[in-house]
């Protein structure tokens, strides 16, 4: 059975459908969410090497300072099997800026409504205010990405094959160190960038 490390998943153990049937291990810094591995993603080099077929990291990479992103990605490489891959999702700051500027929108306006409530443009830039105002500063955003900058940091980390897509302010990437198989390309709907 393939194994996926869900990095920064919070209390959610729900993964996208391509991971159905996979063994999931939840890694999070917050002990209150009862992760399988309680660890800061900056410390992933201390974990056993080459144990996972995939690292799934949704809306977590932006919670690290820009200068720490390479260290987090180095940890991903460390825990992945040689033919493993990373699946990332982050806010698409280029889309956000375009909507704000072209639509003459205010940062305090709602961009979309999530399961947790309204998300303002300000929340996407700086972190979810609703959670932070309640004292959970793990939700602060410390950096951001465009399609180009996310592709570049992944390539700098050794991921030779990077596939990206953008949808409704969400930037998604699949990154491989080795050529993905045709089965993987089909399963994840990959188109090379």
């Amino acid at each position: 059975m393939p194994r996926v490390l869900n990095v920064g998943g919070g209390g959610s153990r729900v993964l996208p459908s391509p991971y159905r049937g996979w063994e999931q291990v939840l890694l999070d810094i917050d002990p209150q969410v009862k992760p399988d591995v309680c660890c800061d993603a900056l410390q992933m080099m201390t974990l056993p090497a080459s144990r996972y077929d995939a690292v799934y990291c949704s809306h977590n990479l932006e919670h690290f300072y820009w200068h720490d992103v390479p260290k987090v990605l180095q940890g991903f490489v460390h825990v992945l099997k040689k033919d493993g891959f990373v699946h990332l999702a982050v806010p698409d700051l280029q889309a956000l800026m375009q909507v704000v500027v072209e639509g003459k929108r205010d940062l305090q306006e709602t961009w979309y409504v999530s399961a947790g409530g309204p998300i303002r443009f300000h929340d996407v830039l700086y972190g979810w205010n609703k959670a932070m105002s309640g004292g959970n500063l793990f939700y602060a955003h410390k950096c951001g990405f465009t399609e180009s900058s996310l592709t570049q940091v992944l390539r700098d980390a050794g991921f030779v094959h990077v596939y990206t897509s953008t949808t409704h302010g969400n930037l998604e990437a699949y990154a491989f160190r080795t050529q993905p198989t045709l089965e993987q390309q089909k399963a994840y709907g990959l188109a090379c960038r």
Side-chain angles (χ1 to χ4, degrees):
M1 176 185 303
R3 300 178 81 205
V4 58
L5 182 65
N6 181 358
V7 176
S12 174
R13 292 184 183 261
V14 177
L15 294 177
S17 60
Y19 301 102
R20 192 169 292 126
W22 288 48
E23 177 188 349
Q24 177 185 175
V25 176
L26 176 64
L27 179 146
D28 203 282
I29 192 172
D30 187 353
Q32 293 187 7
V33 302
K34 297 182 171 85
D36 301 309
V37 179
C38 191
C39 177
D40 185 330
L42 285 169
Q43 305 301 319
M44 289 177 58
M45 294 295 290
T46 64
L47 300 176
S50 307
R51 299 213 32 200
Y52 299 96
D53 299 283
V55 169
Y56 177 72
C57 183
S58 180
H59 291 274
N60 185 264
L61 197 58
E62 66 273 15
H63 296 271
F64 294 91
Y65 291 110
W66 184 255
H67 66 271
D68 283 330
V69 168
K71 186 173 182 180
V72 173
L73 295 177
Q74 181 184 26
F76 291 179
V77 169
H78 173 74
V79 300
L80 279 172
K81 295 177 181 176
K82 184 176 175 151
D83 60 349
F85 65 91
V86 169
H87 179 187
L88 289 169
V90 294
D92 182 353
L93 290 191
Q94 189 163 359
L96 177 133
M97 289 184 259
Q98 186 173 355
V99 170
V100 169
V101 171
E102 290 178 2
K104 298 182 180 174
R105 306 283 300 270
D106 186 85
L107 290 180
Q108 299 307 322
E109 290 181 48
T110 298
W111 191 12
Y112 63 91
V113 178
S114 74
I119 303 296
R120 300 169 303 142
F121 294 103
H122 189 275
D123 295 322
V124 177
L125 282 173
Y126 299 108
W128 194 26
N129 187 62
K130 179 179 176 181
M132 291 189 302
S133 64
N136 191 339
L137 298 183
F138 292 132
Y139 280 90
H141 290 183
K142 299 173 182 172
C143 73
F145 301 90
T146 63
E147 190 171 10
S148 177
S149 66
L150 183 60
T151 299
Q152 190 59 54
V153 296
L154 287 165
R155 288 195 173 137
D156 290 347
F159 294 99
V160 179
H161 304 277
V162 178
Y163 302 80
T164 59
S165 62
T166 60
T167 311
H168 306 295
N170 192 51
L171 173 56
E172 199 166 3
Y174 284 88
F176 299 78
R177 290 179 291 161
T178 60
Q179 176 70 41
T181 65
L182 290 175
E183 182 180 275
Q184 287 174 317
Q185 291 179 39
K186 185 176 178 182
Y188 306 117
L190 305 179
C192 195
R193 176 179 152 83

